[in-house]
Amino acid sequence: PFNDTLRDQEINRVWQGGFEAKPVRHVGVRFTGNYDRSTGVGQISGEPPAYGPMKWPLATGTVYFDVPKAGRLSLDFQRTYYIEQIVAANNFSANMLTIRWTRSIF
């Protein structure tokens, strides 16, 4: 049996937000974002934690154009990165540009 203490002081927080505006008829902009943060400082039997504090924001900006009876053309730009303090080999960042055409069948 374990005679040591189990220490778990991890705190996880997620913030989310966004807005949408339609300044001109058939044209709109949208911005959404998430920010995930974890302290990750747990310890079992005196061993150091396997993962540590991390940050992971993700943001998406969209500009869209509505074409009556044809659909919607959207341009999305996404930006994200992941930073972990203990195992820095897991860190990454990414940028993505997406062009979408969507159409309702109803």
Side-chain angles (χ1 to χ4, degrees), residues 1-17:
F2 286 118
N3 292 329
D4 277 337
T5 59
L6 171 65
R7 206 178 82 195
D8 187 7
Q9 299 172 341
E10 185 171 325
I11 299 171
N12 297 306
R13 291 198 171 105
V14 177
W15 290 278
Q16 297 177 321

Side-chain angles (χ1 to χ4, degrees), residues 30 46 54 71 92:
R30 178 182 301 135
M54 82 70 184
F92 73 88

Side-chain angles (χ1 to χ4, degrees), residues 80-93:
T80 188
Y81 62 88
Y82 178 88
I83 295 176
E84 189 175 314
Q85 289 182 3
I86 291 180
V87 184
N90 291 336
N91 295 353
F92 73 88
S93 67

